Amino acid sequence: MPTEVIMPKVDMDMASGKLAVWHVAEGEAVKKGAALFDIETDKAAMEVEAPASGILRHILANPGVDVPVGSPVAYIYAEGEAIGPAPVAAPPALAEPDAAKPAAEPEAVEAAALPLAGAADEAPRATPVARRLAREGGIELAALAGTGPKGRIQRSDVEAEIERRKTPVAAPAPVPAPAPAAPAYVMDWTPQAGDLHVTTRKGNGVPLVMVHGFAADSAGWTPLERALPRDLPLIRIDLPSHGRSPLRRIAGFADLAKALVQTFDRIAEGPVHLLGHSLGGALSLALADIRPRQIKTLSLIAPAGLGPEIDGAALNGIARASTADSLAPWLKRLTARPEGISHDFAKAAMLSRLDPALRSAQQELAESLFPDGVQAFDLTAALSRVTAPTLMVWGRDDHILPWKQALAAPGEVALHLMRGVGHVPHMEDPEAVAALIGRHLRP
Amino acid sequence: MNAQTHISQPETKTREMSYAEAIRDAMAIALERDPTVILMGEDIGTYGGAFQVTGDLVERFGKDRVMDTPISELGGAGVAVGAALTGLKPIYEFQFSDFAALAMEQIVNQAAKLRYMLGGEAAVPVVFRMPSGSGTGAAAQHSQSFEAWFGHVPGLKVVQPSTPADAKGLLLAALADPDPVIVFEHKLLYKMKGEVPEGYYTTPIGKAAVVRQGKDVTIVASAIMVHRALEAAAKLAKEGIEAEVIDLRSVRPIDRETIIASVKKTGKLLCVYEGVRTLGVGAEISALIAESDAFDYLDAPIQRLGGAEAPIPYNPDLERAAVPQAAGIEDVARKLARGQV
Amino acid sequence: MARDTQENLPFAIRAFSPEQLKEALRKMHLIRLFEEGAEESYMRGLIHGTMHLSIGQEASAVASCMELTDADKITSTHRGHGHCIAKGADVGRMFAEFFGKETGYCHGRGGSMHIADVKTGNLGANGIVGGGLPIAVGAGLTAKRLGRDDVTLCFFGDGANNEGAFHEALNMASIWKLPVIFVCENNKYGMSTAAAYATAVPNISDRAAAYAMPGVTVDGNDFSAVAEALHIAIARARAGEGPSLVENLTYRWRGHSKSDRNRYRTKDEIEDWMSRDPIQRFRAELVAHGIIDEAGADAIETAAKDAVAAGIEFAKAGPAPAITDVTKFVHAEEAA
């Protein structure tokens, strides 16, 4: 039997070695102990000696090839020994059930995939116990004035507020405390005047206009923005009753699209690239249909309006949630990896939703757009009319809008169905989405 | 100085003795009870030990059981480890805990790890006694507090008695323990008197003691800092501030439950320790609170008072300034209690 | 055989029975084959970390332990596989330890560098150069204090003779007249640094004079010479006369560890030492004195080969430790 020549482990933590050079050619004679080949490890090159005397045959690894430790790289046949068929490279020795392999792998603990939404710096300063008591008592910390150092809200401040609320005829409470059993739903919110809130990032070339989805705001684009080309100018629009835009009563989808078109007409100085997510996708589609010459390219991430199905419960739940604890379960539906939604993430997301009036306005909007949990608007016809090059990105694990709605797209639309991604691809895998958009914008 | 004693069996007959006498009493009882117990150390025989802790034990038990060792801390500690590994129960005295730096190899690489490296097939029941702490004017190489150093090593147990009763009970517990234990004895406490139960008893390793009850702020302290914390607490009480004082007693294992329960009650935590403040015992206590459900009860940032970021200086005023004193503890505890931190 | 002829025989042939000598040959083969098996397993990635092979030093390990019983202790070094086998350990459990298995001597917690078999008196290999020296003195102190007549044999390498622990340990063993035999396996190099460069005295045994104990240097590849030196030292220790220092001059054929690139020694030097193989030399001696014939010696080697193969299979089959047991054995169970 020929002697197997293996890639030896010559160093701690070495899993494979790069074969640097053979000192003996195939078919040549070699003596046991003579230099046979060199390997390169992370640290240095090292000479490997022949394990037997004979003729070198069946070289399986050429110079430059990385070979797993324990795998054969050649065979040495004794003088006169019959030469067998050329073997194929065997799987590495480590493949067999072995050694230091632990009996059970510990649960992998992965970091949260989603970056925190913005606005964290606007959180009120409060001690942990003050936060807990406020949470338990349904009190918004933002409504309290802290008496501690630098205005920190302390236990005594929350306790005083609880006492004050117990006294019915005392001064009118600025923020009504939501009863724990009933939803924090205030019907009597007051519509506000003013234009939609727009923010921009300067850059070179045609700008990208970004329209967020329901119950989100422009801060939600942050992860994607970091991954997009640095010089790409950006224009972000906060929808009515979202982010920093005024609270408005919206009669239906057409009314909402009108608000967007008005703002677009106000800010657009020439043709733009347009990007929308979810409800913002549907609105972008409508905008592209209404202002076709103004739109150079259209990018849609999980756009609404391409089928009746939608997870209405999740939308209502998000709009209604008054605490991080009630928000978190709905946020988890947004992503393919719910374990990425930590309590801290939910708390940060809740920070932009602290205003009960905003939550009420959004709930009303949800009722108007998605009555009885269906999408009451259909943009498939608009999609077939769009002339701008169109990109559509959808997560295959989208629990809010089923990805199969993407199949409503005509053939010219570039369709990307991402694996392991849910309803927010631009947050779950911003690099991949940015790469797709980047190529779409500047082919 | 008089100790507040916290002994679980109040019925036991007690006798007043100093911290040093209590340690000697523990060693005498151990030498009488168990023929495998030996004492080793530099000048522990006729001289009676650098701090006169072994005293007359050599006359009572002979030179074979109270062995003077050469000035060879590494070798001496290693001999104690080897003796413990093979059937004796040695108590090795370092003249100053600072000199344990010479023996780190045997304490950290050998004593602490042998049971583990040998898969539980061996035991090292050795006790290292280490006179520790500042306040004697002995400056940088004879005044350090190394409890965090050794507390960082799995396989070691680390205790810091603050009273004569605990000094005896913890030493006897250390000796009864099947694994290596380091006993930090505070040099300024050697002369402190207190009531000490007679006969054999052990104070459990890993159990802190609430030495003063209070609702406004928790002060966790160890060794001499317990007494300074109690002094501060007595002054605060006159202002209506009730500080709870916990004597840590064991650095490793640390008594999480007692500390967490107290912080949940008071919502305020001050850690006081003599070792260098950064990366010290107080950091561990702060972290365990931050990680526990007591976090949601905190009503102020956790505060630490520890040794200065400097070697222990010689000048007496500098030396006092280098480690926490009662006035400083009082000041921080008051601010914490009043919500001013 | 006439008495004067007897006295011309090598010490080992005179002192030990044919069974003892054959057993010694078996252990030397077993050490060599065990380490070759370990090396092969290492190269195949079955062994984690690194290890230090003592191939070429088998006579020193086996001859030093010839007169020890299980009650006698040894402390060993990072190059300790040979000591462990010489003291009576089972190669299957040793391989299991190397493979990180629960069935290993240290339940997978120690590996090659901490291999031990406490039941046969091996207090453990040690990853710290000089780490075992004070521990051996402590074991000697226990024997003396408890009035037992067991001795402790402390293996260390030439590198350790320049550690402070060596000097402190020898001094204390001497002042207390403890039953310790310090056995220096001088294989010429502490990692890459030559002992001749690093040590101020020509022979490491010269250090003994500073601690008022006998010191002797012998050919560590000569089984009989080592056994004779140890016979004298052990007798002195058992008689309560105190410690001795024996220096076995030997050579490791392999590098310091598996990471060694062998840049500090010449091929000629290595080949010269390999031509003085202590196993072949001992075997030839046994054959020459009629203790064993060639066929008998071959049979011993074959049996050792089989034992190593069986040991590797035993090790492979053993279970890995449970991940949840990562802190098991840090403290005694009852105290944990």
Side-chain angles (χ1 to χ4, degrees):
Chain A
M1 240 177 50
T3 303
E4 189 183 59
V5 180
I6 61 168
M7 172 59 68
K9 178 169 162 174
V10 294
D11 212 345
M12 287 201 225
D13 307 327
M14 173 180 167
S16 64
K18 186 183 279 180
L19 201 141
V21 64
W22 284 99
H23 295 304
V24 179
E26 183 147 356
E28 278 183 9
V30 62
K31 273 193 83 159
K32 181 175 176 175
L36 185 57
F37 63 92
D38 284 358
I39 47 181
E40 255 174 57
T41 69
D42 304 343
K43 289 181 192 159
M46 191 165 176
E47 201 174 81
V48 177
E49 296 172 354
S53 298
I55 310 295
L56 186 70
R57 302 276 183 201
H58 308 316
I59 288 183
L60 299 171
N62 289 319
V65 172
D66 220 28
V67 184
V69 160
S71 294
V73 292
Y75 290 82
I76 296 173
Y77 282 74
E79 207 83 47
E81 187 178 350
I83 297 165
V88 284
L94 272 176
E96 73 183 80
D98 120 73
K101 186 74 184 160
E105 289 289 348
E107 286 276 309
V109 183
E110 286 180 25
L114 300 177
L116 288 181
D121 52 344
E122 291 162 22
R125 291 165 63 86
T127 65
V129 70
R131 289 177 184 280
R132 179 172 60 85
L133 294 175
R135 197 160 64 228
E136 289 167 1
I139 292 166
E140 293 294 344
L141 284 172
L144 300 182
T147 58
K150 296 180 191 162
R152 189 193 293 128
I153 301 164
Q154 305 187 123
R155 179 189 191 112
S156 55
D157 301 322
V158 182
E159 284 173 344
E161 175 67 12
I162 290 170
E163 271 311 301
R164 203 176 59 75
R165 290 184 184 194
K166 277 185 191 159
T167 327
V169 264
V175 179
Y185 191 171
V186 191
M187 287 309 295
D188 57 341
W189 58 277
T190 315
Q192 298 161 332
D195 291 328
L196 295 190
H197 186 72
V198 176
T199 54
T200 56
R201 181 177 92 176
K202 292 203 187 327
N204 299 312
V206 178
L208 176 67
V209 174
M210 307 164 94
V211 187
H212 63 77
F214 177 74
D217 57 38
S218 291
W221 294 114
T222 306
L224 182 70
E225 287 173 12
R226 290 198 184 115
L228 283 169
R230 298 241 158 222
D231 65 333
L232 180 67
L234 302 176
I235 301 173
R236 318 169 192 91
I237 302 175
D238 276 349
L239 292 175
S241 308
H242 286 75
R244 297 192 188 180
S245 283
L247 305 182
R248 289 206 193 151
R249 285 224 138 82
I250 301 290
F253 184 80
D255 199 14
L256 188 60
K258 201 169 104 189
L260 179 64
V261 173
Q262 278 171 357
T263 302
F264 181 79
D265 290 345
R266 175 166 61 87
I267 57 169
E269 290 168 353
V272 299
H273 300 293
L274 183 59
L275 165 66
H277 168 237
S278 194
L279 175 62
L283 291 164
S284 298
L285 202 41
L287 178 62
D289 197 31
I290 296 165
R291 296 278 182 270
R293 270 171 294 178
Q294 294 281 75
I295 308 302
K296 271 184 80 83
T297 70
L298 178 61
S299 300
L300 303 170
I301 302 174
L306 300 183
E309 304 90 353
I310 186 165
D311 185 348
L315 298 184
N316 271 312
I318 290 169
R320 172 176 298 221
S322 62
T323 70
D325 287 338
S326 56
L327 181 63
W330 301 115
L331 291 182
K332 286 178 195 286
R333 287 224 196 161
L334 292 179
T335 151
R337 298 196 324 108
E339 65 277 13
I341 304 291
S342 64
H343 186 70
D344 285 344
F345 179 83
K347 272 203 297 203
M350 198 61 221
L351 287 176
S352 58
R353 319 187 46 75
L354 290 175
D355 179 4
L358 176 138
R359 299 200 299 264
S360 302
Q362 288 187 1
Q363 260 180 279
E364 216 178 277
L365 181 63
E367 282 300 316
S368 141
L369 297 175
F370 314 110
D372 306 322
V374 296
Q375 304 191 51
F377 47 93
D378 186 351
L379 292 152
T380 45
L383 181 57
S384 66
R385 286 193 296 267
V386 168
T387 51
T390 301
L391 167 80
M392 198 182 289
V393 179
W394 220 306
R396 284 181 186 257
D397 294 332
D398 191 330
H399 306 305
I400 305 295
L401 292 169
W403 67 265
K404 288 202 172 151
Q405 294 177 0
L407 303 179
E412 18 328 345
V413 172
L415 196 53
H416 296 271
L417 301 173
M418 298 177 69
R419 287 188 192 279
V421 168
H423 185 59
V424 284
H426 55 297
M427 291 176 141
E428 295 171 83
D429 195 350
E431 284 78 18
V433 174
L436 291 172
I437 294 173
R439 263 179 277 145
H440 183 58
L441 266 49
R442 298 170 173 178
Chain B
M1 201 186 297
N2 240 293
Q4 289 228 195
T5 49
H6 28 272
I7 298 145
S8 45
Q9 321 95 305
E11 310 305 324
T12 320
K13 209 172 146 203
T14 63
R15 187 157 64 85
E16 192 189 67
M17 58 178 94
S18 73
Y19 187 92
E21 284 163 350
I23 295 165
R24 189 182 316 141
D25 189 36
M27 291 193 287
I29 290 170
L31 285 162
E32 263 159 23
R33 278 168 58 93
D34 185 346
T36 65
V37 170
I38 59 165
L39 311 187
M40 300 174 66
E42 294 160 16
D43 306 301
I44 65 165
T46 309
Y47 191 93
F51 291 93
Q52 296 300 311
V53 177
T54 46
D56 63 349
L57 291 177
V58 70
E59 284 137 47
R60 292 163 64 188
F61 297 95
K63 287 182 175 178
D64 286 347
R65 299 192 66 199
V66 182
M67 296 173 65
D68 273 329
T69 58
I71 301 179
S72 304
E73 285 82 5
L74 168 61
V79 171
V81 171
L85 189 62
T86 48
L88 294 183
K89 286 185 185 151
I91 302 175
Y92 185 89
E93 175 184 305
F94 285 91
Q95 288 196 337
F96 290 82
S97 64
D98 312 63
F99 303 168
L102 288 152
M104 283 308 265
E105 200 286 292
Q106 284 292 332
I107 300 171
V108 173
N109 288 330
Q110 310 293 345
K113 294 177 175 61
L114 272 163
R115 178 189 290 278
Y116 192 82
M117 294 191 299
L118 272 53
E121 306 288 337
V124 187
V126 66
V127 176
F128 293 110
R129 289 183 40 238
M130 301 194 186
S132 173
S134 65
T136 62
Q141 295 172 335
H142 292 72
S143 303
Q144 297 169 86
S145 298
F146 282 162
E147 53 278 0
W149 277 28
F150 292 103
H152 196 65
V153 181
L156 297 180
K157 292 178 183 173
V158 179
V159 299
Q160 286 183 284
S162 72
T163 66
D166 279 356
K168 178 177 170 182
L170 283 171
L171 180 54
L172 287 171
L175 206 54
D177 197 282
D179 291 308
V181 181
I182 294 176
V183 184
F184 284 100
E185 300 165 0
H186 202 287
K187 283 167 279 188
L188 294 186
L189 295 177
Y190 277 135
K191 293 203 169 86
M192 185 187 80
K193 300 255 182 178
E195 288 298 318
V196 176
E198 294 197 335
Y200 181 86
Y201 68 95
T202 58
T203 302
I205 295 173
K207 193 85 196 80
V210 179
V211 292
R212 183 192 174 102
Q213 305 264 352
K215 61 174 176 32
D216 295 327
V217 55
T218 299
I219 307 176
V220 180
S222 61
I224 197 162
M225 294 303 156
V226 175
H227 304 287
R228 294 184 185 162
L230 287 168
E231 197 183 324
K235 291 205 174 149
L236 292 169
K238 291 181 187 147
E239 303 168 19
I241 295 171
E242 293 300 332
E244 179 145 306
V245 179
I246 294 178
D247 178 354
L248 194 57
R249 297 204 288 200
S250 286
V251 167
R252 185 183 192 95
I254 204 159
D255 183 354
R256 301 168 52 86
E257 289 71 25
T258 299
I259 301 168
I260 287 171
S262 177
V263 172
K264 280 169 102 166
K265 181 167 72 170
T266 64
K268 316 267 175 75
L269 173 61
L270 168 60
C271 309
V272 189
Y273 50 107
E274 188 167 349
V276 173
R277 181 172 179 276
T278 304
L279 296 166
V281 172
E284 182 57 35
I285 296 169
S286 308
L288 80 85
I289 289 300
E291 289 167 348
S292 77
D293 62 340
F295 174 78
D296 274 331
Y297 292 78
L298 281 177
D299 201 23
I302 297 169
Q303 298 297 299
R304 291 182 288 160
L305 283 172
E309 310 293 323
I312 298 294
Y314 168 67
N315 172 290
D317 292 334
L318 290 181
E319 187 181 21
R320 278 178 55 78
V323 300
Q325 303 294 338
I329 299 169
E330 185 190 325
D331 182 46
V332 177
R334 180 186 293 111
K335 283 190 179 136
L336 263 179
R338 290 185 179 166
Q340 295 168 340
V341 176
Chain C
M1 211 178 273
R3 177 141 188 89
D4 53 354
T5 328
Q6 266 281 342
E7 279 172 1
N8 286 335
L9 290 173
F11 168 83
I13 305 295
R14 278 183 283 132
F16 304 117
S17 70
E19 282 63 41
Q20 286 175 308
L21 292 168
K22 282 187 228 173
E23 172 61 11
L25 180 63
R26 187 189 73 84
K27 278 184 174 167
M28 286 166 74
H29 275 302
L30 196 59
I31 293 169
R32 173 76 53 90
L33 292 161
F34 172 87
E35 292 204 305
E36 287 175 352
E39 188 174 36
E40 167 85 6
S41 302
Y42 180 90
M43 288 195 295
R44 288 184 179 277
L46 291 165
I47 294 178
H48 189 53
T50 190
M51 60 182 172
H52 308 86
L53 299 172
S54 67
I55 291 174
Q57 303 185 179
E58 295 86 351
S60 169
V62 176
S64 294
C65 294
M66 274 308 276
E67 294 188 26
L68 301 185
T69 69
D70 283 358
D72 296 318
K73 309 286 186 287
I74 66 166
T75 60
S76 174
T77 70
H78 57 284
R79 203 174 305 289
H81 310 157
H83 310 147
C84 198
I85 292 172
K87 198 70 173 55
D90 168 62
V91 293
R93 290 194 64 193
M94 288 177 70
F95 274 122
E97 184 58 33
F98 286 25
F99 289 13
K101 299 300 181 76
E102 187 65 44
T103 41
Y105 270 115
C106 311
H107 305 281
R109 269 66 167 186
S112 157
M113 227 180 320
H114 305 301
I115 193 74
D117 176 17
V118 180
K119 288 188 182 64
T120 56
N122 180 358
L123 300 178
N126 210 304
I128 305 293
V129 171
L133 282 142
I135 292 174
V137 177
L141 178 64
T142 300
K144 180 161 181 170
R145 187 67 51 243
L146 300 183
R148 302 194 309 229
D149 74 344
D150 50 76
V151 302
T152 301
L153 196 155
C154 172
F155 284 109
F156 61 101
D158 48 274
N161 106 93
N162 295 317
E163 289 276 11
F166 166 88
H167 297 271
E168 296 187 18
L170 264 68
N171 183 58
M172 279 186 274
S174 183
I175 62 169
W176 293 325
K177 283 199 180 325
L178 299 179
V180 182
I181 303 99
F182 297 97
V183 178
C184 178
E185 294 186 311
N186 180 351
N187 61 19
K188 293 174 70 80
Y189 298 92
M191 216 157 138
S192 71
T193 306
Y197 161 82
T199 307
V201 287
N203 301 301
I204 290 167
S205 64
D206 296 346
R207 300 274 200 212
Y211 305 107
M213 68 175 79
V216 59
T217 299
V218 298
D219 177 351
N221 284 5
D222 178 348
F223 180 92
S224 188
V226 174
E228 185 166 16
L230 264 295
H231 173 78
I232 295 164
I234 291 169
R236 174 177 150 87
R238 288 209 205 279
E241 291 163 18
S244 307
L245 172 58
V246 177
E247 178 185 15
N248 297 338
L249 295 178
T250 183
Y251 198 80
R252 56 169 157 80
W253 295 5
R254 298 295 196 269
H256 160 71
S257 72
K258 293 305 295 176
S259 311
D260 191 340
R261 263 115 195 129
N262 240 331
R263 289 189 179 136
Y264 52 91
R265 322 191 281 190
T266 62
K267 272 213 152 134
D268 286 349
E269 180 184 296
I270 297 170
E271 275 161 19
D272 178 45
W273 277 93
M274 286 174 72
S275 70
R276 290 183 260 159
D277 181 348
I279 301 182
Q280 291 310 322
R281 189 167 160 186
F282 183 52
R283 176 183 159 134
E285 205 166 11
L286 295 191
V287 172
H289 290 95
I291 306 293
I292 198 167
D293 58 16
E294 293 291 348
D298 286 345
I300 283 175
E301 186 174 355
T302 306
K305 240 177 221 168
D306 293 344
V308 165
I312 290 175
E313 289 314 307
F314 168 81
K316 279 184 181 168
I323 281 296
T324 47
D325 282 345
V326 65
T327 59
K328 193 177 173 184
F329 306 128
V330 174
H331 290 295
E333 301 260 304
E334 66 271 21

